[in-house]
Amino acid sequence: MGHDLDDRLAARLAELRVERDWSLDDLARRAGISRSTLSRLERGEISPTAALLNKLCAVYGRTMSRLLAEVESEPAQVVRAAAQAAWRDEDSGFERRSVSPPHPGLRGEVVEGRLRPGADIAYDEPPVPGLEQHVWVLEGVVEITADGLAHRLEAGDCLRFRLWGRSRFRCPGPSPVRYALFVVLP
């Protein structure tokens, strides 16, 4: 994400907390994130990891795409490849690109995900319980565990599930994995 987008994200996260009349301690308890990390995040001193952002999305009842859409300008109906918003979590080796024009009022979206070999991302809970996901592997191999069921997907394979609990995306290598993720709100 660009620095300006990071700043808008930090401000939006602070707004969401204030809208609920929560203190940083309240949010820390609900999200399982330290108060100091939340404070630094809301001040724009640090960028969130994928796992941290997922925890906050779960607390606020939003998908990651919806949250990111809230900090972008009004989307066009067509988003050219060069203008599609990309977000990277360098620590985990995850890259996420919003392929479809994001809009908070729509129920579905398309995201491109990339994981470098060895990348392993675990999410404690879905951002929205019952979230429907379709994962279509375009290149490479990914191991996905959703609600305790493990799946190994190769190029061309597609997995569909509704997410109620923990999930994990892992790229066993030797090459990166690239997949399309179709997300549908319940």
Side-chain angles (χ1 to χ4, degrees), residues 89-110:
D89 178 357
E90 296 297 335
D91 291 343
S92 70
F94 174 57
E95 180 180 331
R96 179 187 191 289
R97 184 168 58 97
S98 293
V99 177
S100 60
H103 191 282
L106 299 178
R107 294 184 55 227
E109 60 191 280
V110 181

Side-chain angles (χ1 to χ4, degrees), residues 53-54 57 62-72 85 96-104 106-112 127 131 181 183 185:
L53 202 53
N54 187 70
C57 286
R62 286 168 163 66
T63 63
M64 195 178 301
S65 292
R66 179 174 174 199
L67 177 63
L68 294 175
E70 290 174 0
V71 298
E72 300 227 346
R96 179 187 191 289
R97 184 168 58 97
S98 293
V99 177
S100 60
H103 191 282
L106 299 178
R107 294 184 55 227
E109 60 191 280
V110 181
V111 172
E112 177 187 31
L131 190 68
L181 174 64
V183 179
L185 290 172

Side-chain angles (χ1 to χ4, degrees), residues 10-11 13-14 17 24 27 37-44 60:
L13 290 170
R17 181 178 55 78
L24 280 171
L27 180 57
T37 297
L38 292 169
S39 177
R40 293 182 65 212
L41 181 63
E42 288 184 4
R43 290 193 315 264
Y60 293 130

Side-chain angles (χ1 to χ4, degrees), residues 81-182:
Q84 293 169 357
W87 180 76
R88 289 174 183 82
D89 178 357
E90 296 297 335
D91 291 343
S92 70
F94 174 57
E95 180 180 331
R96 179 187 191 289
R97 184 168 58 97
S98 293
V99 177
S100 60
H103 191 282
L106 299 178
R107 294 184 55 227
E109 60 191 280
V110 181
V111 172
E112 177 187 31
R114 292 175 185 256
L115 294 171
R116 67 179 176 234
D120 191 348
I121 303 172
Y123 300 104
D124 292 335
E125 60 187 329
V128 177
L131 190 68
E132 182 180 347
Q133 296 187 5
H134 303 247
V135 181
W136 179 29
V137 179
L138 304 171
E139 299 170 4
V141 176
V142 65
E143 295 171 350
I144 299 174
T145 303
D147 294 327
L149 296 173
H151 306 273
R152 180 182 171 91
L153 304 173
E154 298 180 7
D157 293 346
C158 185
L159 170 67
R160 177 180 65 190
F161 58 92
R162 293 194 69 164
L163 190 57
W164 298 98
R166 295 175 171 251
S167 63
R168 178 180 177 204
F169 284 63
R170 181 180 169 291
C171 178
S175 59
V177 64
R178 184 171 71 95
Y179 56 89
L181 174 64
F182 303 89

